[in-house]
Amino acid sequence: MALPLAFFGIFFAYPVVAILLRGLHADGTWHLGRLWDVLGQSDIRHVLWFTTWQALASTTLTLLIALPGAYVFARLDFPGRGVLRAVVTVPFVLPTVVVGTAFLALVGRGGLTDELWGVRLDTTVWAILLAHVFFNYAVVVRTVGGLWAQLDPRQEEAARVLGASRLRAFRSVTLPALGPAVAAAALMVFLFTFTSFGVVQILGGPTFSTLEVEIYRQTSEIFDLSTAAVLTVVQFLSVGAILAVHAWTVRRRESALRLVDASVTARRPRGLGQWALLAGVLTTIALLLVLPLAVLVQRSLGGTDFAYYRALTSDEGNVFLVPPIEAIGNSLQYAVVATGIALLIGGLAAAALARRDAGRLVRGFDALLMLPLGVSAVTVGFGFLISLDEPPLDLRSSWILVPLAQALVGVPFVVRTMLPVLRAVDQRLREAAAVLGASPWRVWREVDLPLVRRALLVAAGFAFAVSLGEFGATVFIARPDNPTLPVAVARLLGRAGELNYGQAMALSTILMLVCAVALLVLERLRTDRSGEF
């Protein structure tokens, strides 16, 4: 736990505390009364209500739509499954500002109106909810499907032999085993939607705003750091409460699971029900995930001369010191380094948390690991600038600052992906290996690693994807001569002119293709049957 604690203390707690002190402690005096002044404003209360409501609605809708997909990818074997799994994951890494624009064009404004839980639902709100499902579909499919694929199907088959119906066998055997993974996926989706930024900023306009959007507005547009600090405290406490409730209500039972090679659990669809489910999932993916991506590609083309793509190689009239095309290499380099950091920190933390003899302090760190997903990325990025500017941590001019910020968001994914599988490893296997004279390192290499190798590859894919698409913190610390793809897209979208808009679409299409290729390679490695799992 030493390295994860040091990493989060230096690169998360320190910057966040620094910006909170800058906003709430001025002239040697604490301005705590500002808390009640800000929370007493009606527009801030509306932001808090809408933030919570849309996060709950988005999480529920994502689970309802994505859980059938998790089953299909985990248990059904069909042509093109690996390619389709990569396609499903691509939306998760696209810049939010681009997806917001694509959904705005698809859904439009006005027309459909309704009301649910006191919130007026028009096409704008539906667009926000569907865009959140678009992003988080892969979170549920990867997190739940990853464990589902390794559950021994003979347990459910034994229940069927004993007289249980298919539904009862699923409810009594499979669902409790999937509970931790479903809870982890729901928690991640809720945190992502609770802190939604780009989607709500584009689609919500002046009417709908989340805490993240309001923090950004107060920080970069109004320059009111005290209000931004108050909202950051509210967001921080809200996320802490969510994690506390999750830890209290969810009791993990992975130790009772039997994990098998995922390659032997998937079978060809059998019966009308499975074929109908497969058809429904494929239709959902086509309409919800592929259609917005097709709109993105169509906009990037513009015409038949590829003018937008050719313009990416020129630095004339751009907001950067280099041609926008160089953002591709920058993003890939940053993402590789960030993935390595996330795997090291997250792997160590997951190994420590999976131990049966872990104390309360270690178990409490489980919840703290999720805080980077719930704390404003704007706050973290701005905190990097004002805190890491003096020796021995003068990193403002160093390239490592960007992958460090990206790794903060990737570590929770690594932990949440690896932890259920690590806890599912039968402790008796480790004890038997130790009795036979194996060292702790050899026990890990011979017992744990073959079972968690698949989860490790999935975690690497998530960390890499998150790093490529991270925007909230990177926008503050990426230098003009080394922009990342999301930063380049956002700055091009912020400038008037058809050429700038077209270049933003072209860069987004390139990002989509890079992610698709990377995820397809990962998928082939993950499903390689030549090695042991």
Side-chain angles (χ1 to χ4, degrees), residues 54 94-101 103-104 124-125 127-135 195-205 208 210 213:
Q54 62 83 26
L94 289 179
T96 55
V97 289
V98 175
V99 178
T101 304
F103 269 86
L104 186 62
T124 298
V125 178
I128 292 174
L129 298 181
L130 290 176
H132 285 160
V133 178
F134 174 89
F135 275 113
T195 58
S196 183
F197 177 50
V199 168
V200 179
Q201 187 180 38
I202 295 294
L203 296 175
F208 302 103
T210 58
V213 174

Side-chain angles (χ1 to χ4, degrees), residues 63 67 70-71 74 139-149 178 181-183 185-186:
L63 289 176
L67 282 176
Y71 171 81
V139 175
V140 178
V141 169
R142 290 277 182 169
T143 305
V144 179
L147 181 60
W148 206 336
L178 291 175
V182 174

Side-chain angles (χ1 to χ4, degrees), residues 216-301:
Y216 177 80
R217 191 174 72 90
Q218 296 290 340
T219 302
S220 61
E221 297 179 8
I222 304 178
F223 304 105
D224 187 351
L225 285 183
S226 62
T227 299
V230 170
L231 296 179
T232 299
V233 170
V234 172
Q235 191 177 67
F236 190 86
L237 294 177
S238 299
V239 172
I242 295 167
L243 296 176
V245 171
H246 176 265
W248 178 64
T249 55
V250 177
R251 293 295 179 263
R252 306 181 186 276
R253 302 180 185 270
E254 292 91 339
S255 58
L257 305 183
R258 292 181 59 190
L259 300 183
V260 297
D261 185 346
S263 64
V264 303
T265 61
R267 301 175 179 176
R268 299 283 294 180
R270 294 176 297 180
L272 181 61
Q274 289 190 349
W275 281 107
L277 179 62
L278 176 60
V281 169
L282 293 178
T283 302
T284 299
I285 292 174
L287 295 178
L288 184 64
L289 304 184
V290 177
L291 182 59
L293 298 181
V295 171
L296 178 63
V297 174
Q298 186 272 332
R299 288 185 174 183
S300 72
L301 296 176

Side-chain angles (χ1 to χ4, degrees), residues 19-348:
I19 196 171
L20 291 179
L21 290 177
R22 184 72 63 91
L24 297 177
H25 187 267
D27 302 325
T29 306
W30 285 97
H31 300 278
L32 299 180
R34 183 65 176 159
L35 288 168
W36 309 115
D37 294 338
V38 172
L39 297 179
Q41 300 175 17
S42 59
D43 56 337
I44 296 298
R45 290 199 301 269
H46 175 74
V47 168
L48 293 174
W49 165 244
F50 180 74
T51 300
T52 305
W53 178 88
Q54 62 83 26
L56 289 172
S58 298
T59 302
T60 303
L61 193 61
T62 302
L63 289 176
L64 290 176
I65 294 177
L67 282 176
Y71 171 81
V72 165
F73 282 107
R75 289 298 171 88
L76 300 185
D77 186 15
F78 54 92
R81 186 176 67 152
V83 175
L84 195 61
R85 192 192 298 267
V87 171
V88 165
T89 310
V90 167
F92 183 71
V93 300
L94 289 179
T96 55
V97 289
V98 175
V99 178
T101 304
F103 269 86
L104 186 62
L106 286 172
V107 181
R109 294 184 181 273
L112 178 63
T113 60
D114 199 354
E115 185 169 308
L116 179 64
W117 301 350
V119 173
R120 181 176 176 271
L121 293 181
D122 55 18
T123 49
T124 298
V125 178
W126 282 115
I128 292 174
L129 298 181
L130 290 176
H132 285 160
V133 178
F134 174 89
F135 275 113
N136 295 296
Y137 188 92
V139 175
V140 178
V141 169
R142 290 277 182 169
T143 305
V144 179
L147 181 60
W148 206 336
Q150 288 187 281
L151 292 181
D152 192 342
R154 291 174 295 183
Q155 297 183 20
E156 189 171 323
E157 292 170 0
R160 294 292 307 281
V161 171
L162 294 174
S165 64
R166 185 180 299 275
L167 178 61
R168 184 178 180 185
F170 173 78
R171 187 176 66 249
S172 303
V173 178
T174 305
L175 188 59
L178 291 175
V182 174
L187 177 63
M188 285 191 285
V189 173
F190 184 87
L191 287 178
F192 279 133
T193 53
F194 189 82
T195 58
S196 183
F197 177 50
V199 168
V200 179
Q201 187 180 38
I202 295 294
L203 296 175
T207 306
F208 302 103
S209 178
T210 58
L211 273 172
E212 186 81 355
V213 174
E214 191 64 23
I215 291 172
Y216 177 80
R217 191 174 72 90
Q218 296 290 340
T219 302
S220 61
E221 297 179 8
I222 304 178
F223 304 105
D224 187 351
L225 285 183
S226 62
T227 299
V230 170
L231 296 179
T232 299
V233 170
V234 172
Q235 191 177 67
F236 190 86
L237 294 177
S238 299
V239 172
I242 295 167
L243 296 176
V245 171
H246 176 265
W248 178 64
T249 55
V250 177
R251 293 295 179 263
R252 306 181 186 276
R253 302 180 185 270
E254 292 91 339
S255 58
L257 305 183
R258 292 181 59 190
L259 300 183
V260 297
D261 185 346
S263 64
V264 303
T265 61
R267 301 175 179 176
R268 299 283 294 180
R270 294 176 297 180
L272 181 61
Q274 289 190 349
W275 281 107
L277 179 62
L278 176 60
V281 169
L282 293 178
T283 302
T284 299
I285 292 174
L287 295 178
L288 184 64
L289 304 184
V290 177
L291 182 59
L293 298 181
V295 171
L296 178 63
V297 174
Q298 186 272 332
R299 288 185 174 183
S300 72
L301 296 176
T304 58
D305 58 352
F306 298 95
Y308 298 149
Y309 288 92
R310 288 189 286 107
L312 295 177
T313 60
S314 173
D315 58 357
E316 296 181 5
N318 282 317
V319 295
F320 308 108
L321 302 178
V322 295
I325 196 70
E326 293 194 11
I328 300 174
N330 296 334
S331 290
L332 291 176
Q333 294 174 19
Y334 289 145
V336 169
V337 177
T339 300
I341 297 173
L343 287 177
L344 175 62
I345 301 299
L348 289 174

Side-chain angles (χ1 to χ4, degrees), residues 350-368:
L353 292 170
R355 293 179 61 88
R356 300 295 189 272
D357 57 349
R360 290 185 177 181
L361 180 62
V362 175
R363 292 195 299 268
F365 191 63
D366 185 12
L368 296 179

Side-chain angles (χ1 to χ4, degrees), residues 365-384:
F365 191 63
D366 185 12
L368 296 179
L369 289 171
M370 297 294 292
L371 287 179
L373 298 181
V375 173
S376 168
V378 173
T379 300
V380 175
F382 197 40
F384 268 37

